[in-house]
Amino acid sequence: MLRVRCLRGGSRGAEAAHLIGAMLGRAVTGWVQRAFQSTSVAAAAQPRHAAEHVTEPEQQECPVCSYNEWDPLEEVIVGRAENAHVPAFTVEVKANTYEKYWPFYQKYGGQSFPAEHLKKAVAEIEEMCNILRHEGVNVRRPEPIDWSLEYKTPDFTSSGMYAAMPRDILLVVGNEIIEAPMAWRARFFEYRAYRPLIKEYFRNGAKWTTAPKPTMADELYDQDYPIRTVEDRHKLAAEGKFVTTEHEPCFDAADFIRAGRDLFVQRSQVTNYMGIEWMRRHLAPDYKVHIISFKDPNPMHIDATFNIIGPGLVLSNPDRPCRQIDMFKKAGWTIVKPPTPLIPDDHPLWMSSKWLSMNVLMLGEKRVMVDANESTIQKMFENLGIKTIKVNIRHANSLGGGFHCWTTDVRRRGTLESYFH
């Protein structure tokens, strides 16, 4: 079985550094730019036989390295609830929210989330960070930003939303951080909160890729997307119709889930086929991207529908069955159906469903961060031999995510392997 360990710049970067070191007759250090600038001068001055005296440059661990959802977690980005704002009630937001909450968006769109609720969410996430640190995980945070500021592009005007869900915007594949282009206008500039962190990781050896940024012009959205009832949603989803068109590539990172050399993705309200194809070409030939689909009236982000929690082990939402589940069974995977969530009906979930109960964060193959209120899913994990780290983020759930959504794993201790045959 092929195993690859991340080194600074990846395996190809290590080979390149070794080659340059052999040509220069000394170890290569510092930024790649400085190495290239010095190459021409050193190559002219150094005799060819000097390569015999080369000592191999010191190999350093890349600060970014994660291949799957379950290897031992060493460093994670946790989002911020501070300054979070309700997005304006535009067509793409309407298509991704439930009818019972439409009056909330009509009232609060462009304003802060209710202050008391937000205060509780901030406190919950701070405690979550403390627990992660106690579990030996290094925690990083995005920058606090004023999301109330209005901005204008040649195609639209909007204000911001939040930097609460790094899983939506950042995808780590090996030693590469990929910035997703996003699909909501309110999230157009969300990347700004993460740029200081990403630049730091880049300076220390990580690869950094920004996917093509969509214009988010009117043509990206079906302005007449006919949503009135849940039945409408089911019908449209069954017909493969979504609010986003194929005008230009768009995707949220949270529509992808990783299992070594294989990534699985759904076409959703925020991820179109052009975006999936961009990712497929970008990651080929080292990784394969598989499109899967679900009986889901409102597909948006895969990790509360299909959450891979171990090698050949996946949580599959019983309310949203996977249409391609047989291919996982043929590959020898174990399919686990999580129990019905216990969250009460009167708790506001403005941007998600109750199935955030399965939106868990694996701290390792045998440790999971899980909702402290969800006793039935805790029991399910215990029956699987997985220790539960119980944390309460009930008010933070209201902003649209569980533990997986609120985080992006930057570094997990593991190797690149194939789990899907």
Side-chain angles (χ1 to χ4, degrees):
M1 181 178 292
L2 178 63
R3 297 171 182 262
V4 179
R5 181 64 169 139
C6 269
L7 298 173
R8 177 166 295 184
S11 58
R12 293 175 184 167
E15 292 170 4
H18 179 75
L19 177 59
I20 295 171
M23 293 173 62
L24 299 181
R26 60 180 179 82
V28 176
T29 56
W31 282 50
V32 172
Q33 181 181 6
R34 294 206 305 271
F36 283 141
Q37 286 174 343
S38 63
T39 299
S40 58
V41 176
Q46 191 76 300
R48 292 195 179 191
H49 65 268
E52 298 172 6
H53 306 291
V54 168
T55 57
E56 188 168 333
E58 180 184 356
Q59 295 179 337
Q60 300 183 50
E61 292 287 336
C62 181
V64 173
C65 188
S66 182
Y67 296 111
N68 57 47
E69 310 291 340
W70 62 83
D71 278 338
L73 184 61
E74 295 182 340
E75 182 158 318
V76 69
I77 299 172
V78 178
R80 286 190 180 276
E82 289 90 337
N83 306 325
H85 273 60
V86 181
F89 194 49
T90 54
V91 63
E92 72 273 20
V93 173
K94 183 179 181 181
N96 283 280
T97 52
Y98 290 99
E99 186 177 5
K100 65 182 285 189
Y101 294 119
W102 289 352
F104 172 84
Y105 284 92
Q106 290 166 336
K107 179 179 179 180
Y108 290 104
Q111 303 175 49
S112 174
F113 280 92
E116 271 307 304
H117 198 103
L118 202 58
K119 182 179 179 181
K120 292 175 181 178
V122 169
E124 289 171 350
I125 296 304
E126 288 299 326
E127 179 61 11
M128 173 184 162
C129 290
N130 290 336
I131 293 171
L132 282 166
R133 294 184 186 105
H134 180 75
E135 292 295 321
V137 180
N138 190 35
V139 175
R140 309 299 303 275
R141 309 294 300 278
E143 294 293 307
I145 282 182
D146 182 1
W147 300 107
S148 67
L149 297 178
E150 187 176 88
Y151 48 84
K152 184 176 182 179
T153 80
D155 297 289
F156 68 90
T157 300
S158 181
S159 55
M161 189 168 133
Y162 57 31
M165 311 293 164
R167 187 75 57 176
D168 295 356
I169 191 168
L170 300 177
L171 180 65
V172 173
V173 182
N175 68 342
E176 179 178 15
I177 302 177
I178 300 173
E179 280 185 34
M182 312 300 285
W184 284 16
R185 288 169 169 174
R187 308 189 77 174
F188 190 86
F189 286 111
E190 192 167 316
Y191 67 87
R192 295 179 63 248
Y194 300 94
R195 278 292 174 87
L197 277 177
I198 297 173
K199 288 189 289 186
E200 176 191 324
Y201 290 134
F202 176 72
R203 290 184 179 113
N204 286 291
K207 292 176 65 178
W208 171 17
T209 300
T210 301
K213 196 70 174 172
T215 62
M216 297 190 187
D218 288 347
E219 290 83 357
L220 180 58
Y221 312 102
D222 181 351
Q223 301 293 333
D224 300 313
Y225 194 67
I227 288 184
R228 294 176 299 277
T229 65
V230 173
E231 288 72 25
D232 287 336
R233 292 178 183 274
H234 277 286
K235 182 180 178 182
L236 291 164
E239 294 173 353
K241 295 181 179 178
F242 306 91
V243 71
T244 46
T245 68
E246 298 296 329
H247 175 68
E248 56 190 347
C250 66
F251 64 84
D252 281 12
D255 271 321
F256 292 81
I257 197 146
R258 304 159 303 152
R261 289 195 176 275
D262 296 276
L263 287 81
F264 301 91
V265 62
Q266 66 172 350
R267 202 317 183 179
S268 76
Q269 299 286 20
V270 293
T271 296
N272 63 13
Y273 289 119
M274 285 188 75
I276 294 171
E277 178 60 16
W278 181 89
M279 184 70 83
R280 186 190 67 79
R281 295 185 197 180
H282 177 72
L283 293 177
D286 296 326
Y287 300 88
K288 291 182 180 179
V289 175
H290 308 264
I291 299 176
I292 55 179
S293 61
F294 307 89
K295 294 179 182 178
D296 183 358
N298 191 42
M300 179 182 175
H301 302 166
I302 200 170
D303 48 0
T305 299
F306 199 77
N307 194 358
I308 303 173
I309 61 170
L313 182 62
V314 63
L315 300 183
S316 184
N317 190 322
D319 282 358
R320 307 169 192 163
C322 177
R323 294 188 177 95
Q324 296 80 19
I325 198 66
D326 284 346
M327 75 178 188
F328 292 95
K329 292 178 179 177
K330 289 177 181 177
W333 284 36
T334 300
I335 315 299
V336 178
K337 294 181 180 180
T340 302
L342 301 178
I343 189 168
D345 291 337
D346 61 353
H347 185 78
L349 291 171
W350 298 305
M351 309 184 74
S352 58
S353 77
K354 292 184 178 182
W355 284 104
L356 290 179
S357 59
M358 63 174 283
N359 188 257
V360 297
L361 177 68
M362 301 304 295
L363 307 186
E365 267 190 66
K366 297 299 179 181
R367 284 187 303 156
V368 61
M369 183 166 279
V370 65
D371 192 323
N373 304 286
E374 296 286 343
S375 58
T376 53
I377 201 167
Q378 293 168 20
K379 185 66 175 177
M380 180 206 76
F381 280 114
E382 289 163 6
N383 290 337
L384 291 169
I386 299 172
K387 179 184 177 182
T388 56
I389 311 299
K390 303 173 185 66
V391 185
N392 177 31
I393 59 166
R394 187 56 55 88
H395 291 85
N397 287 156
S398 300
L399 302 188
F403 301 106
H404 199 256
C405 297
W406 275 92
T407 58
T408 286
D409 40 303
V410 173
R411 190 171 64 255
R412 290 183 180 270
R413 188 171 66 254
T415 55
L416 177 58
E417 300 185 29
S418 295
Y419 305 95
F420 187 72
H421 304 284

